[in-house]
Amino acid sequence: IFVDVHLWRELKVKTEQNVTRFNDDNLEWEKRVMTCIQNKGYREATGEALKTVIVPYKLIGQTCDVQDGDSEVPWYWKQFPLFGVLNH
């Protein structure tokens, strides 16, 4: 999920027995502690399973531009600028 061209949240979506759950990736840890060599681009969703996802409508009084992107596998960090978004 991107908010105002910034990567805001990365979720793993899993459906089992007609029930969908969303798990967050810990982006702060993945970007600052892990390196591309250590994790080979793989990021694990370690957050608690959620039934819903809440996104911001306004930040500091300004309406947000919220967009999402879907992929079977996590995107590499180097790909984000190619999509016109910032990964920090």
Side-chain angles (χ1 to χ4, degrees), residues 17-69:
Q17 299 174 354
N18 290 333
V19 177
T20 301
R21 295 286 187 258
F22 306 92
N23 296 80
D24 279 286
D25 284 358
N26 185 341
L27 294 174
E28 183 75 20
W29 186 79
E30 295 286 352
K31 287 176 61 181
R32 291 195 169 68
V33 177
M34 298 293 286
T35 67
C36 288
I37 294 170
Q38 288 174 311
N39 65 12
K40 298 181 181 168
Y42 179 76
R43 297 186 293 281
E44 186 171 347
T46 57
E48 179 181 340
L50 306 171
K51 293 180 184 179
T52 59
V53 177
I54 298 173
V55 297
Y57 171 68
K58 285 188 176 183
L59 291 172
I60 313 172
Q62 299 293 319
T63 304
C64 298
D65 178 28
V66 178
Q67 299 178 8
D68 74 331

